[in-house]
Amino acid sequence: MKIIALLLILAVSSVMAAKTAVKVEKGSQLITLMEEYPGTYLVMFYDHNSDKGRISKARNDARDQILARHPDIHYYEVDVDDSEFQDIVKLINLDKVECEHRPSFLVLAQGLGYIAHGEDAITDIVKSLSSKDWFLAHRHQRTAKEVEEEKAAQK
């Protein structure tokens, strides 16, 4: 039993280390990552020529209102004018003109998701992530420790 627990701890540790170590330099890498690695992804699309204050506000709001509540979400940022990321911009049919005014966000889990744009994008995502339907579709995978605690409580 101790060996199984140790293996589970090592597996979880390696997954967490891999999650933080993934650096994406091309759109094709981000697409592959989202296709092959399970989890929920939040991608902010912005235009580097647009208002820096709006970009910073969107970034800070995403960090404070979404990522602080859902630390298991994989977060990335994409400049829509970067030639290395045009494949993902085209794949999701992103309107680059909208990103000139305000960043857009892609929320994706298990191949399903949506794009949020505008002043209320972060609020909409927060509501979506806290809704029962989203929770059921993308619920937290329990750790070995949580399973053991639940078993102990049932005895």
Side-chain angles (χ1 to χ4, degrees):
M1 185 67 176
K2 288 183 181 181
I3 293 174
I4 293 172
L6 180 61
L7 289 174
L8 284 172
I9 291 170
L10 288 173
V12 170
S13 299
S14 64
V15 168
M16 292 306 291
K19 176 183 167 186
T20 58
V22 176
K23 181 172 167 111
V24 175
E25 296 177 355
K26 295 182 178 184
S28 59
Q29 292 172 331
L30 184 55
I31 293 167
T32 300
L33 188 69
M34 292 187 293
E35 289 175 343
E36 295 182 3
Y37 295 98
T40 302
Y41 292 84
L42 177 66
V43 183
M44 181 177 88
F45 292 90
Y46 67 95
D47 183 334
H48 71 276
N49 293 316
S50 65
D51 184 342
K52 306 294 186 237
R54 287 185 178 172
I55 295 171
S56 293
K57 181 173 178 359
R59 181 181 295 122
N60 292 338
D61 288 349
R63 182 191 65 228
D64 297 341
Q65 297 179 37
I66 299 171
L67 300 174
R69 295 178 188 175
H70 304 277
D72 53 330
I73 290 179
H74 306 275
Y75 177 74
Y76 293 94
E77 294 184 4
V78 172
D79 180 354
V80 296
D81 284 338
D82 188 336
S83 62
E84 297 292 342
F85 287 91
Q86 292 310 300
D87 46 357
I88 191 166
V89 170
K90 289 176 186 171
L91 178 69
I92 64 170
N93 253 351
L94 186 70
D95 185 350
K96 292 167 65 170
V97 174
E98 284 184 344
C99 293
E100 290 176 8
H101 304 288
R102 193 174 301 276
S104 294
F105 290 88
L106 169 67
V107 182
L108 184 72
Q110 301 170 353
L112 301 172
Y114 67 96
I115 296 172
H117 179 79
E119 284 185 55
D120 298 327
I122 298 295
T123 305
D124 292 342
I125 295 168
V126 168
K127 286 179 185 175
S128 167
L129 290 173
S130 63
S131 76
K132 182 179 178 187
D133 293 336
W134 185 271
F135 174 77
L136 291 174
H138 314 290
R139 62 183 162 265
H140 167 69
Q141 297 294 314
R142 297 182 303 154
T143 64
K145 181 181 177 185
E146 290 170 331
V147 171
E148 292 300 319
E149 289 173 352
E150 184 179 18
K151 286 181 183 177
Q154 291 177 353
K155 289 183 181 178

